[in-house]
Amino acid sequence: MHAATDAAGVSIPAEYADIWEDDFGVRGWKLDLPGRGADVIAATPYTGERIPTSVFVHDIVDHHLCGFALSGYTDEAGALIQLAERTGSDPVPDFVQIIDEDLLTGAFESDDWRELLPASLMAVVEAASDSRAGMAQLRAQWGDGVLRALWLAGFVATGWGLAAGAREAWGRHGLDYARRAATARALQRLFERVDATVLDQGWVRARGVFRVAPAGVGFRFEEPAAGRDEYLPITDD
């Protein structure tokens, strides 16, 4: 399915499974959007300790509404900068996790890693027999500390450079970019209600559509029980 935009906001399809048949096998929700990569894990309303909204809300507010895909290093760079701006959180730990798990080892999930590394070092990786061997060569030459700092600089510079485009994307949806934080809080409360419904009903699968408009957010179940609506206004509290 595709998200739809009109003068009153944007509709975003989502699907739920009590156990997803993917590499993660967990309970939760995923946005049903084109380009959703296999690395997108299902999410629940859990907010963690540092950020008052869930990963699922991050996927809507900081990825999709900003024009960023759910997968890819440059899109994640842009989305994490947006998340940091609206919540005051530090994006560095998330960037470092990606660097240590994927990039330092050469286990690249997408080809856009090249946009985050200086050209001279990128050439070393590309000249090697494979990406893992290339990164091993760089680690032996420069050490993990220097390479981690260079990857981190690439993430921050890339994410910062994409900020203007994120603002424009919200405008194309007819939404107020300045109210991103309030929109995210309303979506978090709504998501908690929607997730509680599937648990209360004991559903193993569900589908529906989130609606983000200037004045409020909503959700309508389509399967297995069509027509169950939830709505919350966006407030600045």
Side-chain angles (χ1 to χ4, degrees), residues 124-134 137:
V124 172
V125 177
E126 293 188 320
S129 58
D130 58 46
S131 59
R132 292 179 184 273
Q137 180 179 341

Side-chain angles (χ1 to χ4, degrees), residues 3-11 171-175 211-214:
T5 301
D6 60 31
V10 58
S11 297
R172 288 194 298 271
H173 290 308
L175 302 174
R211 182 75 181 166
V212 183

Side-chain angles (χ1 to χ4, degrees), residues 104-106 125 130-141 147:
L104 279 180
T105 64
V125 177
D130 58 46
S131 59
R132 292 179 184 273
M135 283 307 302
Q137 180 179 341
L138 288 180
R139 294 172 80 175
Q141 179 179 358
L147 291 176

Side-chain angles (χ1 to χ4, degrees), residues 24-231:
F24 306 104
V26 299
R27 182 190 83 83
W29 293 82
K30 294 186 182 185
L31 299 181
D32 187 11
L33 295 172
R36 183 180 73 192
D39 59 326
V40 175
I41 188 171
T44 64
Y46 175 69
T47 63
E49 297 179 357
R50 294 184 293 124
I51 297 170
T53 51
S54 61
V55 171
F56 189 79
V57 171
H58 166 61
D59 286 348
I60 294 176
V61 173
D62 305 311
H63 276 272
H64 183 63
L65 296 180
C66 289
F68 302 132
L70 301 181
S71 298
Y73 297 119
T74 59
D75 288 287
E76 192 62 39
L80 284 173
I81 291 297
Q82 293 299 306
L83 174 67
E85 184 183 3
R86 75 170 170 85
T87 65
S89 63
D90 183 358
V92 170
D94 289 317
F95 286 139
V96 169
Q97 181 178 357
I98 297 170
I99 292 166
D100 287 353
E101 291 181 358
D102 290 8
L103 302 179
L104 279 180
T105 64
F108 304 142
E109 294 286 345
S110 59
D111 290 338
D112 57 351
W113 64 269
R114 295 174 176 84
E115 300 181 37
L116 306 176
L117 200 63
S120 60
L121 301 187
M122 179 187 70
V124 172
V125 177
E126 293 188 320
S129 58
D130 58 46
S131 59
R132 292 179 184 273
M135 283 307 302
Q137 180 179 341
L138 288 180
R139 294 172 80 175
Q141 179 179 358
W142 294 101
D144 286 0
V146 169
L147 291 176
R148 186 179 290 110
L150 289 171
W151 282 116
L152 181 59
F155 269 117
V156 173
T158 298
W160 182 262
L162 294 171
R167 179 184 294 272
E168 293 170 0
W170 271 66
R172 288 194 298 271
H173 290 308
L175 302 174
D176 186 352
Y177 181 83
R179 302 192 73 196
R180 283 181 306 130
T183 301
R185 290 193 299 270
L187 274 170
Q188 177 65 29
R189 294 191 294 269
L190 175 67
F191 183 36
E192 290 170 0
R193 288 190 185 183
V194 170
D195 190 63
T197 297
V198 299
L199 291 176
D200 291 345
Q201 296 295 322
W203 293 335
V204 297
R205 296 288 188 275
R207 288 180 178 272
V209 177
F210 283 89
R211 182 75 181 166
V212 183
V217 297
F219 182 83
R220 167 167 285 202
F221 280 101
E222 295 183 338
E223 298 176 8
R228 296 173 64 100
D229 292 324
E230 297 279 357
Y231 176 83

